[in-house]
Amino acid sequence: MKKKLSILLLFFFAVLLLSGFTYQSGKYVYDTTGTLTDSEISALESRIRTARESVGSDFVIYIVETGGYQDDAVLRRNAENAVDDWVRATGGYDENGQTVLFYLDLSGNYFIDEYNATEKYKLSDWDIDAITDTDSDLFYYLKGHDWYHACETFVEQAERKARPGFFETIWGKIITALGGGGAAAGVALGVHRTRKETTKRYYMKQASFRTVMQDDAYLGTRTTVHKIQTESSGGGGHISSGGGSSGHHGGGGHF
């Protein structure tokens, strides 16, 4: 009897121990290094709850320390695995599991990965490049080992860029309706060529005609909008954003 009780107690404590390392619905900051204070975690959690409702996406911060430089492919895979674990444990936001995760390795690696089962991402590749680039505010705080402000900047920037603006909500729908889309799509707005009839009035003077009024001809304008993917302007260890495994895209680098 005592032996069975001991086994049950060991199992119980093992479950408690493991539960501290699993994702929990409603909790968005996971610092496995103990770097952030309780008050800093609380402030980030509060900020994320506001951001997720305004944008329609989960935002997750995952802090680890691997002890060394991670190869770019390994860094991307580790970040994607962390997002996959989050979605499996909590479901993510809405039926598509929409999630943006900041993978911060205190050893000098960082990555922002977005997951959406239908790949209808809230952030564009340009947005992720801008947030993670080597001249960004995020990179500045990472270089200074200011972990709290780095995490805060991630939330602020990701929310601001993920929130639909006028173009996305109005013109984006028009472009979609016209069949536009894709990284290198070109959309022509107001493409036309019109010509008004020229009106002239004449009167006779000394057996000759003389023009007293003339309307100028008007040719319609042509405006063409192109969306062209560019390489990241960042240097050093920056990883340009792009598609990873199915449902993922992201970017990051080393500091």
mmCIF file of all heavy atoms in Angstrom, residues 113-160:
data_model
loop_
_atom_site.group_PDB
_atom_site.id
_atom_site.type_symbol
_atom_site.label_atom_id
_atom_site.label_comp_id
_atom_site.label_asym_id
_atom_site.label_seq_id
_atom_site.Cartn_x
_atom_site.Cartn_y
_atom_site.Cartn_z
ATOM 1 N N ASP A 113 7.747 34.335 -35.560
ATOM 2 C CA ASP A 113 7.071 33.371 -36.430
ATOM 3 C C ASP A 113 5.570 33.541 -36.307
ATOM 4 O O ASP A 113 5.039 33.639 -35.201
ATOM 5 C CB ASP A 113 7.458 31.941 -36.075
ATOM 6 C CG ASP A 113 6.906 30.935 -37.065
ATOM 7 O OD1 ASP A 113 7.481 30.824 -38.162
ATOM 8 O OD2 ASP A 113 5.898 30.275 -36.757
ATOM 9 N N GLU A 114 4.902 33.593 -37.455
ATOM 10 C CA GLU A 114 3.445 33.695 -37.467
ATOM 11 C C GLU A 114 2.855 32.423 -38.045
ATOM 12 O O GLU A 114 3.319 31.919 -39.072
ATOM 13 C CB GLU A 114 2.982 34.891 -38.291
ATOM 14 C CG GLU A 114 1.461 35.035 -38.313
ATOM 15 C CD GLU A 114 0.989 36.279 -39.041
ATOM 16 O OE1 GLU A 114 1.802 36.908 -39.736
ATOM 17 O OE2 GLU A 114 -0.194 36.625 -38.913
ATOM 18 N N TYR A 115 1.812 31.936 -37.381
ATOM 19 C CA TYR A 115 1.122 30.737 -37.848
ATOM 20 C C TYR A 115 -0.330 31.061 -38.160
ATOM 21 O O TYR A 115 -1.010 31.751 -37.401
ATOM 22 C CB TYR A 115 1.159 29.630 -36.789
ATOM 23 C CG TYR A 115 0.330 28.420 -37.182
ATOM 24 C CD1 TYR A 115 0.870 27.431 -38.001
ATOM 25 C CD2 TYR A 115 -0.994 28.301 -36.769
ATOM 26 C CE1 TYR A 115 0.096 26.336 -38.386
ATOM 27 C CE2 TYR A 115 -1.767 27.216 -37.148
ATOM 28 C CZ TYR A 115 -1.210 26.240 -37.961
ATOM 29 O OH TYR A 115 -1.965 25.171 -38.362
ATOM 30 N N ASN A 116 -0.785 30.556 -39.295
ATOM 31 C CA ASN A 116 -2.198 30.609 -39.644
ATOM 32 C C ASN A 116 -2.463 29.432 -40.573
ATOM 33 O O ASN A 116 -1.793 29.281 -41.595
ATOM 34 C CB ASN A 116 -2.565 31.925 -40.333
ATOM 35 C CG ASN A 116 -4.053 32.061 -40.594
ATOM 36 O OD1 ASN A 116 -4.624 31.355 -41.410
ATOM 37 N ND2 ASN A 116 -4.685 33.001 -39.908
ATOM 38 N N ALA A 117 -3.393 28.573 -40.204
ATOM 39 C CA ALA A 117 -3.634 27.340 -40.953
ATOM 40 C C ALA A 117 -3.970 27.605 -42.409
ATOM 41 O O ALA A 117 -3.634 26.810 -43.287
ATOM 42 C CB ALA A 117 -4.758 26.544 -40.290
ATOM 43 N N THR A 118 -4.615 28.743 -42.698
ATOM 44 C CA THR A 118 -4.996 29.076 -44.066
ATOM 45 C C THR A 118 -3.993 30.016 -44.731
ATOM 46 O O THR A 118 -4.199 30.431 -45.863
ATOM 47 C CB THR A 118 -6.386 29.723 -44.101
ATOM 48 O OG1 THR A 118 -6.351 30.939 -43.326
ATOM 49 C CG2 THR A 118 -7.434 28.796 -43.515
ATOM 50 N N GLU A 119 -2.923 30.374 -43.990
ATOM 51 C CA GLU A 119 -1.870 31.270 -44.473
ATOM 52 C C GLU A 119 -2.405 32.660 -44.824
ATOM 53 O O GLU A 119 -1.828 33.369 -45.639
ATOM 54 C CB GLU A 119 -1.132 30.655 -45.670
ATOM 55 C CG GLU A 119 -0.451 29.331 -45.323
ATOM 56 C CD GLU A 119 0.435 28.796 -46.436
ATOM 57 O OE1 GLU A 119 0.538 29.457 -47.489
ATOM 58 O OE2 GLU A 119 1.023 27.724 -46.247
ATOM 59 N N LYS A 120 -3.491 33.051 -44.172
ATOM 60 C CA LYS A 120 -3.998 34.418 -44.300
ATOM 61 C C LYS A 120 -3.409 35.231 -43.152
ATOM 62 O O LYS A 120 -4.061 35.501 -42.146
ATOM 63 C CB LYS A 120 -5.528 34.429 -44.275
ATOM 64 C CG LYS A 120 -6.153 33.731 -45.470
ATOM 65 C CD LYS A 120 -7.678 33.774 -45.405
ATOM 66 C CE LYS A 120 -8.288 33.086 -46.612
ATOM 67 N NZ LYS A 120 -9.781 33.083 -46.554
ATOM 68 N N TYR A 121 -2.157 35.614 -43.318
ATOM 69 C CA TYR A 121 -1.388 36.192 -42.225
ATOM 70 C C TYR A 121 -1.803 37.627 -41.908
ATOM 71 O O TYR A 121 -2.223 38.389 -42.790
ATOM 72 C CB TYR A 121 0.094 36.156 -42.568
ATOM 73 C CG TYR A 121 0.615 34.764 -42.841
ATOM 74 C CD1 TYR A 121 1.160 34.437 -44.084
ATOM 75 C CD2 TYR A 121 0.556 33.772 -41.878
ATOM 76 C CE1 TYR A 121 1.645 33.158 -44.338
ATOM 77 C CE2 TYR A 121 1.025 32.500 -42.115
ATOM 78 C CZ TYR A 121 1.569 32.191 -43.357
ATOM 79 O OH TYR A 121 2.032 30.938 -43.603
ATOM 80 N N LYS A 122 -1.633 37.986 -40.648
ATOM 81 C CA LYS A 122 -1.878 39.354 -40.204
ATOM 82 C C LYS A 122 -0.697 40.259 -40.551
ATOM 83 O O LYS A 122 -0.870 41.451 -40.798
ATOM 84 C CB LYS A 122 -2.105 39.381 -38.686
ATOM 85 C CG LYS A 122 -3.291 38.566 -38.192
ATOM 86 C CD LYS A 122 -4.601 39.216 -38.546
ATOM 87 C CE LYS A 122 -5.755 38.434 -37.953
ATOM 88 N NZ LYS A 122 -7.067 39.068 -38.269
ATOM 89 N N LEU A 123 0.515 39.699 -40.521
ATOM 90 C CA LEU A 123 1.732 40.450 -40.819
ATOM 91 C C LEU A 123 2.243 40.059 -42.192
ATOM 92 O O LEU A 123 2.248 38.881 -42.557
ATOM 93 C CB LEU A 123 2.814 40.157 -39.779
ATOM 94 C CG LEU A 123 2.518 40.541 -38.330
ATOM 95 C CD1 LEU A 123 3.604 40.000 -37.403
ATOM 96 C CD2 LEU A 123 2.400 42.057 -38.179
ATOM 97 N N SER A 124 2.696 41.043 -42.954
ATOM 98 C CA SER A 124 3.328 40.754 -44.235
ATOM 99 C C SER A 124 4.805 40.445 -44.006
ATOM 100 O O SER A 124 5.353 40.677 -42.923
ATOM 101 C CB SER A 124 3.194 41.957 -45.174
ATOM 102 O OG SER A 124 3.985 43.040 -44.702
ATOM 103 N N ASP A 125 5.469 39.929 -45.030
ATOM 104 C CA ASP A 125 6.915 39.720 -44.930
ATOM 105 C C ASP A 125 7.624 41.037 -44.662
ATOM 106 O O ASP A 125 8.598 41.089 -43.905
ATOM 107 C CB ASP A 125 7.449 39.092 -46.220
ATOM 108 C CG ASP A 125 7.056 37.629 -46.363
ATOM 109 O OD1 ASP A 125 6.585 37.052 -45.374
ATOM 110 O OD2 ASP A 125 7.211 37.072 -47.462
ATOM 111 N N TRP A 126 7.144 42.108 -45.293
ATOM 112 C CA TRP A 126 7.732 43.431 -45.066
ATOM 113 C C TRP A 126 7.611 43.830 -43.599
ATOM 114 O O TRP A 126 8.536 44.406 -43.022
ATOM 115 C CB TRP A 126 7.027 44.477 -45.942
ATOM 116 C CG TRP A 126 7.314 44.347 -47.399
ATOM 117 C CD1 TRP A 126 8.325 43.648 -47.987
ATOM 118 C CD2 TRP A 126 6.561 44.935 -48.463
ATOM 119 N NE1 TRP A 126 8.254 43.755 -49.347
ATOM 120 C CE2 TRP A 126 7.188 44.533 -49.665
ATOM 121 C CE3 TRP A 126 5.437 45.735 -48.510
ATOM 122 C CZ2 TRP A 126 6.717 44.935 -50.918
ATOM 123 C CZ3 TRP A 126 4.971 46.140 -49.759
ATOM 124 C CH2 TRP A 126 5.601 45.748 -50.935
ATOM 125 N N ASP A 127 6.452 43.574 -43.001
ATOM 126 C CA ASP A 127 6.242 43.930 -41.593
ATOM 127 C C ASP A 127 7.245 43.214 -40.688
ATOM 128 O O ASP A 127 7.853 43.832 -39.807
ATOM 129 C CB ASP A 127 4.819 43.551 -41.158
ATOM 130 C CG ASP A 127 3.752 44.400 -41.821
ATOM 131 O OD1 ASP A 127 4.051 45.555 -42.185
ATOM 132 O OD2 ASP A 127 2.621 43.903 -41.980
ATOM 133 N N ILE A 128 7.407 41.917 -40.895
ATOM 134 C CA ILE A 128 8.321 41.143 -40.053
ATOM 135 C C ILE A 128 9.755 41.604 -40.263
ATOM 136 O O ILE A 128 10.532 41.723 -39.306
ATOM 137 C CB ILE A 128 8.176 39.640 -40.338
ATOM 138 C CG1 ILE A 128 6.780 39.165 -39.916
ATOM 139 C CG2 ILE A 128 9.243 38.832 -39.595
ATOM 140 C CD1 ILE A 128 6.489 37.714 -40.220
ATOM 141 N N ASP A 129 10.134 41.880 -41.515
ATOM 142 C CA ASP A 129 11.475 42.399 -41.780
ATOM 143 C C ASP A 129 11.704 43.719 -41.049
ATOM 144 O O ASP A 129 12.769 43.961 -40.485
ATOM 145 C CB ASP A 129 11.685 42.607 -43.281
ATOM 146 C CG ASP A 129 12.046 41.317 -44.008
ATOM 147 O OD1 ASP A 129 12.437 40.345 -43.329
ATOM 148 O OD2 ASP A 129 11.935 41.277 -45.238
ATOM 149 N N ALA A 130 10.687 44.588 -41.070
ATOM 150 C CA ALA A 130 10.823 45.899 -40.427
ATOM 151 C C ALA A 130 10.981 45.760 -38.915
ATOM 152 O O ALA A 130 11.764 46.486 -38.296
ATOM 153 C CB ALA A 130 9.608 46.765 -40.757
ATOM 154 N N ILE A 131 10.251 44.828 -38.306
ATOM 155 C CA ILE A 131 10.320 44.647 -36.856
ATOM 156 C C ILE A 131 11.651 44.047 -36.430
ATOM 157 O O ILE A 131 12.221 44.427 -35.399
ATOM 158 C CB ILE A 131 9.167 43.744 -36.368
ATOM 159 C CG1 ILE A 131 7.818 44.394 -36.658
ATOM 160 C CG2 ILE A 131 9.294 43.478 -34.858
ATOM 161 C CD1 ILE A 131 6.634 43.481 -36.384
ATOM 162 N N THR A 132 12.179 43.103 -37.215
ATOM 163 C CA THR A 132 13.368 42.340 -36.808
ATOM 164 C C THR A 132 14.664 42.852 -37.414
ATOM 165 O O THR A 132 15.734 42.326 -37.085
ATOM 166 C CB THR A 132 13.212 40.859 -37.203
ATOM 167 O OG1 THR A 132 13.081 40.758 -38.633
ATOM 168 C CG2 THR A 132 11.992 40.248 -36.542
ATOM 169 N N ASP A 133 14.613 43.852 -38.278
ATOM 170 C CA ASP A 133 15.805 44.301 -38.976
ATOM 171 C C ASP A 133 16.857 44.838 -37.997
ATOM 172 O O ASP A 133 16.555 45.186 -36.858
ATOM 173 C CB ASP A 133 15.438 45.383 -39.984
ATOM 174 C CG ASP A 133 16.385 45.404 -41.171
ATOM 175 O OD1 ASP A 133 17.410 44.690 -41.134
ATOM 176 O OD2 ASP A 133 16.103 46.135 -42.129
ATOM 177 N N THR A 134 18.097 44.896 -38.472
ATOM 178 C CA THR A 134 19.202 45.297 -37.605
ATOM 179 C C THR A 134 19.228 46.793 -37.293
ATOM 180 O O THR A 134 20.064 47.235 -36.496
ATOM 181 C CB THR A 134 20.541 44.901 -38.238
ATOM 182 O OG1 THR A 134 20.611 45.416 -39.577
ATOM 183 C CG2 THR A 134 20.699 43.383 -38.284
ATOM 184 N N ASP A 135 18.343 47.563 -37.913
ATOM 185 C CA ASP A 135 18.238 48.977 -37.543
ATOM 186 C C ASP A 135 16.914 49.267 -36.838
ATOM 187 O O ASP A 135 16.502 50.416 -36.726
ATOM 188 C CB ASP A 135 18.402 49.879 -38.771
ATOM 189 C CG ASP A 135 17.327 49.632 -39.828
ATOM 190 O OD1 ASP A 135 16.514 48.701 -39.640
ATOM 191 O OD2 ASP A 135 17.315 50.354 -40.845
ATOM 192 N N SER A 136 16.245 48.222 -36.369
ATOM 193 C CA SER A 136 14.952 48.386 -35.714
ATOM 194 C C SER A 136 15.116 48.654 -34.218
ATOM 195 O O SER A 136 16.174 48.419 -33.626
ATOM 196 C CB SER A 136 14.107 47.124 -35.903
ATOM 197 O OG SER A 136 14.692 46.036 -35.207
ATOM 198 N N ASP A 137 14.034 49.127 -33.594
ATOM 199 C CA ASP A 137 14.038 49.339 -32.147
ATOM 200 C C ASP A 137 14.223 48.012 -31.410
ATOM 201 O O ASP A 137 14.909 47.955 -30.380
ATOM 202 C CB ASP A 137 12.724 49.981 -31.709
ATOM 203 C CG ASP A 137 12.597 51.422 -32.178
ATOM 204 O OD1 ASP A 137 13.641 52.033 -32.509
ATOM 205 O OD2 ASP A 137 11.468 51.936 -32.233
ATOM 206 N N LEU A 138 13.610 46.956 -31.926
ATOM 207 C CA LEU A 138 13.739 45.642 -31.298
ATOM 208 C C LEU A 138 15.203 45.216 -31.238
ATOM 209 O O LEU A 138 15.690 44.769 -30.195
ATOM 210 C CB LEU A 138 12.924 44.607 -32.073
ATOM 211 C CG LEU A 138 13.074 43.149 -31.623
ATOM 212 C CD1 LEU A 138 12.583 42.974 -30.197
ATOM 213 C CD2 LEU A 138 12.319 42.212 -32.568
ATOM 214 N N PHE A 139 15.908 45.361 -32.347
ATOM 215 C CA PHE A 139 17.307 44.957 -32.391
ATOM 216 C C PHE A 139 18.152 45.809 -31.437
ATOM 217 O O PHE A 139 19.081 45.306 -30.798
ATOM 218 C CB PHE A 139 17.846 45.078 -33.822
ATOM 219 C CG PHE A 139 19.193 44.444 -34.020
ATOM 220 C CD1 PHE A 139 19.304 43.074 -34.218
ATOM 221 C CD2 PHE A 139 20.352 45.200 -34.009
ATOM 222 C CE1 PHE A 139 20.542 42.481 -34.390
ATOM 223 C CE2 PHE A 139 21.592 44.626 -34.186
ATOM 224 C CZ PHE A 139 21.680 43.250 -34.382
ATOM 225 N N TYR A 140 17.809 47.085 -31.321
ATOM 226 C CA TYR A 140 18.531 47.985 -30.413
ATOM 227 C C TYR A 140 18.454 47.470 -28.977
ATOM 228 O O TYR A 140 19.474 47.417 -28.264
ATOM 229 C CB TYR A 140 17.928 49.389 -30.517
ATOM 230 C CG TYR A 140 18.406 50.346 -29.454
ATOM 231 C CD1 TYR A 140 19.642 50.986 -29.567
ATOM 232 C CD2 TYR A 140 17.625 50.608 -28.322
ATOM 233 C CE1 TYR A 140 20.088 51.872 -28.587
ATOM 234 C CE2 TYR A 140 18.064 51.480 -27.342
ATOM 235 C CZ TYR A 140 19.293 52.109 -27.478
ATOM 236 O OH TYR A 140 19.726 52.965 -26.503
ATOM 237 N N TYR A 141 17.256 47.073 -28.543
ATOM 238 C CA TYR A 141 17.098 46.572 -27.171
ATOM 239 C C TYR A 141 17.764 45.212 -26.990
ATOM 240 O O TYR A 141 18.307 44.921 -25.919
ATOM 241 C CB TYR A 141 15.624 46.497 -26.811
ATOM 242 C CG TYR A 141 14.981 47.851 -26.605
ATOM 243 C CD1 TYR A 141 13.880 48.248 -27.355
ATOM 244 C CD2 TYR A 141 15.478 48.736 -25.658
ATOM 245 C CE1 TYR A 141 13.295 49.489 -27.168
ATOM 246 C CE2 TYR A 141 14.908 49.989 -25.467
ATOM 247 C CZ TYR A 141 13.819 50.353 -26.226
ATOM 248 O OH TYR A 141 13.256 51.598 -26.038
ATOM 249 N N LEU A 142 17.720 44.378 -28.014
ATOM 250 C CA LEU A 142 18.374 43.076 -27.922
ATOM 251 C C LEU A 142 19.884 43.227 -27.780
ATOM 252 O O LEU A 142 20.510 42.528 -26.975
ATOM 253 C CB LEU A 142 18.047 42.232 -29.164
ATOM 254 C CG LEU A 142 16.597 41.761 -29.309
ATOM 255 C CD1 LEU A 142 16.403 41.048 -30.635
ATOM 256 C CD2 LEU A 142 16.198 40.848 -28.152
ATOM 257 N N LYS A 143 20.460 44.134 -28.550
ATOM 258 C CA LYS A 143 21.913 44.365 -28.465
ATOM 259 C C LYS A 143 22.296 44.857 -27.073
ATOM 260 O O LYS A 143 23.385 44.559 -26.578
ATOM 261 C CB LYS A 143 22.348 45.375 -29.520
ATOM 262 C CG LYS A 143 22.352 44.829 -30.944
ATOM 263 C CD LYS A 143 23.473 43.840 -31.176
ATOM 264 C CE LYS A 143 24.830 44.518 -31.229
ATOM 265 N NZ LYS A 143 25.918 43.564 -31.565
ATOM 266 N N GLY A 144 21.413 45.622 -26.448
ATOM 267 C CA GLY A 144 21.683 46.139 -25.115
ATOM 268 C C GLY A 144 21.249 45.199 -24.007
ATOM 269 O O GLY A 144 21.323 45.569 -22.830
ATOM 270 N N HIS A 145 20.784 43.994 -24.375
ATOM 271 C CA HIS A 145 20.313 42.998 -23.403
ATOM 272 C C HIS A 145 19.209 43.553 -22.514
ATOM 273 O O HIS A 145 19.093 43.172 -21.348
ATOM 274 C CB HIS A 145 21.473 42.480 -22.558
ATOM 275 C CG HIS A 145 22.443 41.652 -23.340
ATOM 276 N ND1 HIS A 145 23.519 40.992 -22.766
ATOM 277 C CD2 HIS A 145 22.504 41.368 -24.677
ATOM 278 C CE1 HIS A 145 24.201 40.345 -23.710
ATOM 279 N NE2 HIS A 145 23.601 40.554 -24.875
ATOM 280 N N ASP A 146 18.400 44.441 -23.074
ATOM 281 C CA ASP A 146 17.242 44.977 -22.367
ATOM 282 C C ASP A 146 16.049 44.114 -22.762
ATOM 283 O O ASP A 146 15.256 44.456 -23.642
ATOM 284 C CB ASP A 146 17.021 46.440 -22.772
ATOM 285 C CG ASP A 146 15.961 47.125 -21.929
ATOM 286 O OD1 ASP A 146 15.191 46.411 -21.252
ATOM 287 O OD2 ASP A 146 15.891 48.375 -21.967
ATOM 288 N N TRP A 147 15.909 42.981 -22.090
ATOM 289 C CA TRP A 147 14.954 41.962 -22.516
ATOM 290 C C TRP A 147 13.507 42.407 -22.381
ATOM 291 O O TRP A 147 12.680 42.102 -23.254
ATOM 292 C CB TRP A 147 15.183 40.672 -21.729
ATOM 293 C CG TRP A 147 16.606 40.226 -21.674
ATOM 294 C CD1 TRP A 147 17.337 39.938 -20.556
ATOM 295 C CD2 TRP A 147 17.505 39.998 -22.784
ATOM 296 N NE1 TRP A 147 18.618 39.543 -20.879
ATOM 297 C CE2 TRP A 147 18.747 39.579 -22.256
ATOM 298 C CE3 TRP A 147 17.383 40.123 -24.162
ATOM 299 C CZ2 TRP A 147 19.843 39.283 -23.043
ATOM 300 C CZ3 TRP A 147 18.481 39.833 -24.967
ATOM 301 C CH2 TRP A 147 19.687 39.415 -24.411
ATOM 302 N N TYR A 148 13.205 43.114 -21.310
ATOM 303 C CA TYR A 148 11.815 43.548 -21.119
ATOM 304 C C TYR A 148 11.373 44.481 -22.240
ATOM 305 O O TYR A 148 10.306 44.297 -22.837
ATOM 306 C CB TYR A 148 11.635 44.236 -19.765
ATOM 307 C CG TYR A 148 10.268 44.897 -19.644
ATOM 308 C CD1 TYR A 148 9.123 44.115 -19.481
ATOM 309 C CD2 TYR A 148 10.128 46.282 -19.749
ATOM 310 C CE1 TYR A 148 7.867 44.703 -19.406
ATOM 311 C CE2 TYR A 148 8.873 46.870 -19.675
ATOM 312 C CZ TYR A 148 7.753 46.083 -19.512
ATOM 313 O OH TYR A 148 6.511 46.668 -19.455
ATOM 314 N N HIS A 149 12.173 45.503 -22.530
ATOM 315 C CA HIS A 149 11.782 46.453 -23.567
ATOM 316 C C HIS A 149 11.816 45.825 -24.960
ATOM 317 O O HIS A 149 11.083 46.257 -25.856
ATOM 318 C CB HIS A 149 12.663 47.705 -23.510
ATOM 319 C CG HIS A 149 12.320 48.620 -22.374
ATOM 320 N ND1 HIS A 149 13.081 48.713 -21.234
ATOM 321 C CD2 HIS A 149 11.271 49.469 -22.199
ATOM 322 C CE1 HIS A 149 12.533 49.577 -20.407
ATOM 323 N NE2 HIS A 149 11.427 50.039 -20.959
ATOM 324 N N ALA A 150 12.646 44.818 -25.138
ATOM 325 C CA ALA A 150 12.625 44.081 -26.409
ATOM 326 C C ALA A 150 11.281 43.376 -26.577
ATOM 327 O O ALA A 150 10.662 43.435 -27.647
ATOM 328 C CB ALA A 150 13.771 43.070 -26.455
ATOM 329 N N CYS A 151 10.812 42.728 -25.510
ATOM 330 C CA CYS A 151 9.521 42.035 -25.564
ATOM 331 C C CYS A 151 8.374 43.030 -25.731
ATOM 332 O O CYS A 151 7.431 42.792 -26.497
ATOM 333 C CB CYS A 151 9.319 41.218 -24.296
ATOM 334 S SG CYS A 151 10.465 39.835 -24.114
ATOM 335 N N GLU A 152 8.460 44.129 -25.028
ATOM 336 C CA GLU A 152 7.430 45.159 -25.124
ATOM 337 C C GLU A 152 7.369 45.723 -26.543
ATOM 338 O O GLU A 152 6.275 45.944 -27.091
ATOM 339 C CB GLU A 152 7.724 46.278 -24.128
ATOM 340 C CG GLU A 152 6.682 47.384 -24.111
ATOM 341 C CD GLU A 152 7.065 48.512 -23.179
ATOM 342 O OE1 GLU A 152 8.214 49.016 -23.278
ATOM 343 O OE2 GLU A 152 6.231 48.899 -22.335
ATOM 344 N N THR A 153 8.536 45.935 -27.133
ATOM 345 C CA THR A 153 8.600 46.458 -28.498
ATOM 346 C C THR A 153 7.998 45.466 -29.487
ATOM 347 O O THR A 153 7.308 45.868 -30.436
ATOM 348 C CB THR A 153 10.055 46.763 -28.889
ATOM 349 O OG1 THR A 153 10.569 47.776 -28.008
ATOM 350 C CG2 THR A 153 10.156 47.255 -30.331
ATOM 351 N N PHE A 154 8.261 44.186 -29.285
ATOM 352 C CA PHE A 154 7.649 43.170 -30.145
ATOM 353 C C PHE A 154 6.129 43.301 -30.136
ATOM 354 O O PHE A 154 5.477 43.310 -31.193
ATOM 355 C CB PHE A 154 8.049 41.769 -29.685
ATOM 356 C CG PHE A 154 7.072 40.703 -30.076
ATOM 357 C CD1 PHE A 154 6.938 40.308 -31.397
ATOM 358 C CD2 PHE A 154 6.256 40.108 -29.115
ATOM 359 C CE1 PHE A 154 5.999 39.345 -31.761
ATOM 360 C CE2 PHE A 154 5.333 39.143 -29.464
ATOM 361 C CZ PHE A 154 5.205 38.765 -30.797
ATOM 362 N N VAL A 155 5.544 43.393 -28.946
ATOM 363 C CA VAL A 155 4.093 43.477 -28.844
ATOM 364 C C VAL A 155 3.575 44.744 -29.521
ATOM 365 O O VAL A 155 2.616 44.707 -30.311
ATOM 366 C CB VAL A 155 3.639 43.435 -27.372
ATOM 367 C CG1 VAL A 155 2.116 43.561 -27.283
ATOM 368 C CG2 VAL A 155 4.103 42.156 -26.695
ATOM 369 N N GLU A 156 4.208 45.876 -29.212
ATOM 370 C CA GLU A 156 3.760 47.156 -29.760
ATOM 371 C C GLU A 156 3.834 47.167 -31.281
ATOM 372 O O GLU A 156 2.883 47.558 -31.975
ATOM 373 C CB GLU A 156 4.621 48.298 -29.194
ATOM 374 C CG GLU A 156 4.507 48.498 -27.693
ATOM 375 C CD GLU A 156 3.190 49.136 -27.286
ATOM 376 O OE1 GLU A 156 2.480 49.636 -28.181
ATOM 377 O OE2 GLU A 156 2.876 49.120 -26.083
ATOM 378 N N GLN A 157 4.977 46.743 -31.828
ATOM 379 C CA GLN A 157 5.182 46.780 -33.274
ATOM 380 C C GLN A 157 4.298 45.763 -33.993
ATOM 381 O O GLN A 157 3.714 46.059 -35.041
ATOM 382 C CB GLN A 157 6.654 46.513 -33.602
ATOM 383 C CG GLN A 157 7.610 47.607 -33.167
ATOM 384 C CD GLN A 157 7.415 48.881 -33.976
ATOM 385 O OE1 GLN A 157 7.290 48.844 -35.189
ATOM 386 N NE2 GLN A 157 7.393 50.016 -33.296
ATOM 387 N N ALA A 158 4.198 44.571 -33.447
ATOM 388 C CA ALA A 158 3.391 43.529 -34.089
ATOM 389 C C ALA A 158 1.918 43.927 -34.111
ATOM 390 O O ALA A 158 1.227 43.725 -35.116
ATOM 391 C CB ALA A 158 3.578 42.196 -33.376
ATOM 392 N N GLU A 159 1.439 44.491 -33.013
ATOM 393 C CA GLU A 159 0.038 44.913 -32.986
ATOM 394 C C GLU A 159 -0.212 46.030 -33.991
ATOM 395 O O GLU A 159 -1.187 45.997 -34.753
ATOM 396 C CB GLU A 159 -0.364 45.396 -31.589
ATOM 397 C CG GLU A 159 -1.825 45.833 -31.538
ATOM 398 C CD GLU A 159 -2.146 46.717 -30.343
ATOM 399 O OE1 GLU A 159 -1.216 47.177 -29.660
ATOM 400 O OE2 GLU A 159 -3.351 46.954 -30.109
ATOM 401 N N ARG A 160 0.681 47.024 -34.000
ATOM 402 C CA ARG A 160 0.482 48.178 -34.889
ATOM 403 C C ARG A 160 0.479 47.753 -36.351
ATOM 404 O O ARG A 160 -0.349 48.200 -37.139
ATOM 405 C CB ARG A 160 1.577 49.217 -34.645
ATOM 406 C CG ARG A 160 1.411 50.480 -35.484
ATOM 407 C CD ARG A 160 2.411 51.536 -35.083
ATOM 408 N NE ARG A 160 3.770 51.107 -35.309
ATOM 409 C CZ ARG A 160 4.369 51.199 -36.500
ATOM 410 N NH1 ARG A 160 3.725 51.681 -37.545
ATOM 411 N NH2 ARG A 160 5.628 50.823 -36.635
#
